[in-house]
Amino acid sequence: MKARSTLTALVALLIFCAGYAALFLAPDEATMHAIQRIFYFHVASWNAMFCAFFVAFYASVAYLVTGKRKWDALGVSGVEVGVICCTIGLITGPLWARPVWGIWWTWDAKLTSTFILWLLFIAYLLLRGLLEDPEKKASLSAIFAIFASLDIPLVYLANRLWRTQHPQPVIAGGQGSGLDPTMSKVLLLCLLAIFCVMILVLVDRYRLELLRNEAAELKFEIESRGPDALGVASEGAATRALQKGGQ
Amino acid sequence: MTTVRAAGIVLAKELRLEFRTRELLTATVIFALVVVVLFSFAFDPTAAESRRYGPGLLWIAFLFAGSLMLNPSFAREQNNETLDALRMAPISSFAILLGKILANFIFMSLAELVLVPVFAVLYNLSLAGIVWRLILVLALGTLGLTVTGTVFSAVSAHARMRELLLPLLLLPLLTPLLIAAVESTASLFAEQPALDRTWLAFLAGFDIVFLTATWLLCDHLLEE
């Protein structure tokens, strides 16, 4: 518990430093000025999203191979955290695009693919909510997560072949590309900070899911013992309480 | 028993079941027709525009019809718990799925066989000279639709609100298929029909990826 509090404090500090660096230390961009600073968090949230969805994909495969419930818990945690990161990315993107491109949204390959990605994993969460049997919930949603993950490269490829308007890769994208050295340092710091936040939330969500599973199992055990067992237990408790009162 | 033979038996059972009532086929054809007709009110289907919108309308109608038609594939096994009986048979679970996929592929193809000529008449498109290439595109697209649709039908059959859930799971997943199918169909309906090989290869790739995934995951999909 103590370690967790310390880690949370460290991540909070890291986020503060990243925010400060992105807003004040990074040099002003020549054409876009202040609005360009959203890029540090926009890119960082995509990075965190890909890591979270990769965790979900890996956990889904691991669940189907091993059948251990902890992998299912990790899978759903990965998807939930990934969807949050994806939502942040989808909101910060249009905020930047409106002043720079002049439009909120364009049907370009990267935007469309992430939108579909978002829809697919929202469907995953819906599916989990609508499946009742815990075993079925775990295995069927793992299958869906694997199908959805396989679909992502195809969605991207299809859109890429179709039409694209996104900025060409700025980092390592051929001649004339590349960031100012300070900018790339700030970007690295932001990537690290958002990644740490993602991991922190992911671990918490994972623990919550394990606790939920445990609570559901205990509840099931009490119910399967029948009303008699419960009655005896509460009767015993009542007798003890009376005895205590009598003393 | 080999997988192919077992799948053939499941396929025969599905076909017999459907052709006793023909409910599913009739409903699918009528539904797709309704969609096509509704589109003609939303967009004016004059000759030049229909070349641009036509393939898109056609595939959206197929995708919607498919996402409704595929739902009973596993849902109707639930009424009398007949899926348990199928599962008890000494055949692999891939054979069960393959039989159902083939059956759905046949149903969907039959529906398309009725719909495409009607669509060509309503939207003033000429099918002469492109029939075989169009059949190839339709077959590849329909295979992708039925493979993923049958798998998700097995997934959604266990859920509440399954009729609503299946399109939600299926349609976002099918976006790459939709793009590829529409683009290759559009290349056939153009002034100078020429089949776009890139998109055709993409469709084939989609089918292979998801057929392989189905083969790998089928035991988990049908386990009790």
Side-chain angles (χ1 to χ4, degrees):
Chain A
M1 200 59 212
K2 201 176 172 193
R4 200 194 152 274
S5 310
T6 324
L7 274 176
T8 313
L10 274 177
V11 172
L13 187 69
L14 193 62
I15 270 290
F16 178 79
C17 294
Y20 182 81
L23 292 180
F24 300 107
L25 296 187
D28 209 39
E29 213 272 345
T31 48
M32 294 183 258
H33 302 296
I35 191 68
Q36 183 266 341
R37 293 174 193 274
I38 209 168
F39 145 90
Y40 298 107
F41 292 99
H42 179 69
V43 174
S45 66
W46 290 137
N47 179 58
M49 178 201 77
F50 276 113
C51 297
F53 283 147
F54 184 76
V55 168
F57 173 69
Y58 183 83
S60 299
V61 175
Y63 175 76
L64 290 181
V65 172
T66 63
K68 286 193 179 133
R69 288 298 296 277
K70 64 171 187 181
W71 288 116
D72 175 54
L74 188 62
V76 64
S77 316
V79 170
E80 274 189 16
V81 176
V83 165
I84 298 290
C85 295
C86 192
T87 313
I88 294 173
L90 282 176
I91 292 171
T92 50
L95 283 181
W96 171 87
R98 177 73 183 141
V100 176
W101 285 345
I103 38 171
W104 293 107
W105 183 265
T106 160
W107 293 101
D108 127 287
K110 281 183 190 166
L111 271 79
T112 315
S113 314
T114 27
F115 197 29
I116 299 292
L117 181 72
W118 188 78
L119 284 175
L120 276 171
F121 283 101
I122 293 280
Y124 170 97
L125 295 176
L126 267 173
L127 173 68
R128 282 190 79 93
L130 293 173
L131 286 167
E132 269 155 11
D133 179 61
E135 296 280 319
K136 282 263 169 266
K137 183 190 278 195
S139 61
L140 294 180
S141 56
I143 289 174
F144 182 73
I146 293 172
F147 266 71
S149 309
L150 288 177
D151 200 43
I152 294 310
L154 292 173
V155 174
Y156 182 72
L157 183 65
N159 279 290
R160 185 87 210 186
L161 287 170
W162 198 31
R163 52 188 173 192
T164 197
Q165 188 188 352
H166 218 79
Q168 288 305 306
V170 171
I171 305 160
Q175 282 200 335
S177 70
L179 280 176
D180 175 271
T182 323
M183 277 185 176
S184 42
K185 274 178 207 148
V186 173
L187 179 63
L188 271 179
L189 182 66
C190 287
L191 284 177
L192 182 72
I194 300 287
F195 181 75
C196 289
V197 173
M198 188 278 280
I199 294 293
L200 195 75
V201 178
L202 181 70
V203 170
D204 273 3
R205 180 65 186 82
Y206 173 61
R207 285 203 189 128
L208 177 67
E209 189 67 19
L210 289 183
L211 286 175
R212 256 189 206 162
N213 285 348
E214 203 181 322
E217 267 164 36
L218 289 174
K219 200 176 161 200
F220 179 75
E221 204 175 310
I222 291 172
E223 275 166 8
S224 63
R225 278 186 195 165
D228 290 350
L230 210 62
V232 169
S234 55
E235 234 168 64
T239 327
R240 274 198 297 281
L242 277 177
Q243 280 169 350
K244 261 190 182 171
Q247 277 170 2
Chain B
M1 199 185 310
T2 62
T3 305
V4 176
R5 205 173 119 68
I9 292 171
V10 175
L11 169 66
K13 166 232 163 221
E14 293 283 321
L15 292 183
R16 207 176 314 130
L17 199 64
E18 175 54 28
F19 286 111
R20 270 185 197 151
T21 59
R22 289 180 293 276
E23 285 169 341
L24 203 57
L25 264 176
T26 326
T28 309
V29 171
I30 300 295
F31 176 80
L33 266 181
V34 170
V35 174
V36 168
V37 171
L38 280 186
F39 273 133
S40 74
F41 299 124
F43 306 100
D44 184 23
T46 55
E49 277 182 2
S50 60
R51 275 184 208 283
R52 280 179 53 212
Y53 296 130
L57 304 188
L58 190 66
W59 277 100
I60 290 211
F62 289 162
L63 253 53
F64 282 0
S67 68
L68 292 178
M69 189 205 80
L70 291 161
N71 190 51
S73 185
F74 276 88
R76 69 176 164 198
E77 302 276 5
Q78 297 240 313
N79 294 342
N80 296 316
E81 289 175 5
T82 42
L83 191 60
D84 290 333
L86 265 180
R87 227 187 264 122
M88 265 188 268
I91 56 176
S92 68
S93 40
F94 185 61
I96 301 176
L97 267 175
L98 193 62
K100 280 187 175 288
I101 288 171
L102 289 176
N104 289 330
F105 180 77
I106 291 174
F107 298 151
M108 202 63 214
S109 304
L110 286 176
E112 286 167 9
L113 204 66
V114 178
L115 283 165
V116 170
V118 174
F119 183 80
V121 169
L122 288 180
Y123 282 78
N124 192 24
L125 293 166
S126 166
L127 295 180
I130 57 164
V131 172
W132 293 110
R133 286 176 287 176
L134 187 64
I135 286 176
L136 181 64
V137 172
L138 286 174
L140 286 175
T142 309
L143 186 62
L145 169 66
T146 43
V147 168
T148 50
T150 310
V151 170
F152 286 177
S153 159
V155 169
S156 67
H158 297 278
R160 284 178 286 130
M161 299 209 303
R162 55 190 177 210
E163 284 82 5
L164 190 60
L165 186 61
L166 181 61
L168 278 180
L169 299 180
L170 190 57
L171 294 177
L173 191 97
L174 287 176
T175 41
L177 180 116
L178 178 69
I179 295 174
V182 169
E183 289 299 309
S184 40
T185 313
S187 69
L188 287 179
F189 280 134
E191 295 279 350
Q192 307 277 319
L195 189 52
D196 192 326
R197 282 172 204 278
T198 321
W199 288 116
L200 203 66
F202 188 93
L203 278 178
F206 186 94
D207 295 353
I208 291 168
V209 166
F210 285 106
L211 206 55
T212 316
T214 308
W215 176 62
L216 287 172
L217 297 174
C218 58
D219 285 334
H220 298 287
L221 191 64
L222 295 183
E223 75 190 350
E224 190 35 35

